[in-house]
Amino acid sequence: MTSKDARRVSYFYDAEVGNYHYGQGHPMKPHRVRMTHNLVVNYGLYRRMEVFRPRHVSPTAMTRFHSDDYINFLRVITPDNMQDYIRQLQRFNVGEDCPVFDGLFEFCQLYTSGSIGGAMRLNDNQADAVINWAGGLHHAKKAEASGFCYVNDCVLAILELLKKHPRVLYIDIDIHHGDGVEEAFYCTNRVMTVSFHKFGEYFPGTGDVLDTGYAEGKNYAINFPLNDGMDDESYKKIFRPVIGKVM
């Protein structure tokens, strides 16, 4: 590595992630994580990183954010026993957008473990940057699935970072508003959430520029709602000055 490549990068990947399937016609396709990994390998990028297979976190670790009954539900629900859990399916918003599929909880464990494992390596000063392409399921709420997301690995990774660091900055550049993460930290000044997202008649419908946090968290939630038609150059012109001021 040259001096410019001196940063220690940890990359978390488990080949099993590509085996999970949300169902016929569903837009969420975990197989794309495997495709991304193939690009990483074929371009030789893996040589510049330490590659780790994440060690599965326990259900108890997930309840640092999520409710016990919600995590217990995700552990037991299967396509074969769904009819026995009709009320819980409605209560926890599991159904069409967030379907029940074979290995659902194991899938949640896998992607969450990469994010928490990455945060642990940062806390232990074993890496300068960590990557988990399977993670980023930012819509999940404390006791509710949402927007293809069941367990909010972003929130759990931030909670892990807060064990060592006084404050964490979370930057979300997904086209959808990072509502689950913002909601989790809306009343604290230890986490600042910054989200650039399409806004209007678009899921999840949150992320107004006037939503800035509450109580101790006032002004620690920053939203930059965007209209259709955004291109790369325009995005850079808003992203760089905003993040520059935040930092």
Side-chain angles (χ1 to χ4, degrees):
M1 289 188 182
T2 66
S3 59
K4 288 196 299 186
D5 298 319
R7 286 201 306 172
R8 301 164 299 164
V9 180
S10 295
Y11 168 48
F12 285 77
Y13 176 72
D14 190 321
E16 290 295 315
V17 69
N19 295 333
Y20 297 98
H21 187 56
Y22 274 59
Q24 188 69 30
H26 198 287
M28 179 69 163
K29 303 183 187 303
H31 176 65
R32 289 182 296 197
V33 179
R34 181 180 287 165
M35 295 170 65
T36 303
H37 178 72
N38 287 338
L39 290 172
V40 168
V41 171
N42 285 294
Y43 276 100
L45 298 177
Y46 69 95
R47 297 191 186 97
R48 298 175 179 266
M49 304 182 286
E50 289 186 283
V51 183
F52 294 91
R53 183 177 183 180
R55 182 180 301 170
H56 283 190
V57 297
S58 68
T60 302
M62 297 179 182
T63 61
R64 290 197 65 214
F65 171 60
H66 294 286
S67 66
D68 291 358
D69 51 354
Y70 176 56
I71 293 300
N72 287 335
F73 166 77
L74 292 178
R75 292 179 69 185
V76 301
I77 194 69
T78 69
D80 295 328
N81 67 13
M82 285 174 57
Q83 296 306 312
D84 300 329
Y85 293 92
I86 298 299
R87 183 176 297 177
Q88 289 94 327
L89 287 167
Q90 295 173 342
R91 175 187 171 193
F92 297 127
N93 195 36
V94 173
E96 189 172 345
D97 278 354
C98 302
V100 177
F101 55 86
D102 287 327
L104 170 57
F105 186 71
E106 288 74 19
F107 172 67
C108 294
Q109 273 188 308
L110 193 153
Y111 73 74
T112 300
S113 298
S115 296
I116 293 178
M120 293 173 68
R121 287 192 67 78
L122 291 172
N123 281 351
D124 294 338
N125 195 30
Q126 294 178 315
D128 301 308
V130 294
I131 299 169
N132 176 25
W133 290 122
L137 280 79
H138 58 172
H139 295 304
K141 310 297 196 301
K142 183 179 182 70
E144 182 181 311
S146 178
F148 316 159
C149 308
Y150 304 87
V151 172
N152 199 315
D153 62 294
C154 306
V155 170
L156 290 167
I158 291 170
L159 290 173
E160 187 67 30
L161 290 171
L162 288 173
K163 290 180 179 179
K164 180 173 182 180
H165 304 279
R167 290 184 174 173
V168 172
L169 171 63
Y170 170 80
I171 302 173
D172 194 318
I173 58 172
D174 188 80
I175 192 171
H176 304 96
H177 176 232
D179 57 334
V181 183
E182 178 184 279
E183 181 180 302
F185 300 109
Y186 204 63
C187 298
T188 178
N189 59 11
R190 292 195 65 196
V191 178
M192 175 174 278
T193 59
V194 184
S195 180
F196 298 82
H197 50 271
K198 183 175 175 179
F199 187 69
E201 296 296 317
Y202 198 70
F203 181 87
T206 52
D208 192 288
V209 68
L210 298 176
D211 297 336
T212 59
Y214 183 74
E216 289 187 356
K218 189 68 175 175
N219 297 322
Y220 283 83
I222 298 174
N223 287 295
F224 203 115
L226 303 167
N227 296 322
D228 281 329
M230 181 59 58
D231 57 28
D232 290 351
E233 199 58 38
S234 299
Y235 197 93
K236 281 197 295 184
K237 287 179 179 178
I238 62 166
F239 182 86
R240 286 179 172 172
V242 169
I243 295 302
K245 291 288 187 181
V246 167
M247 298 295 286

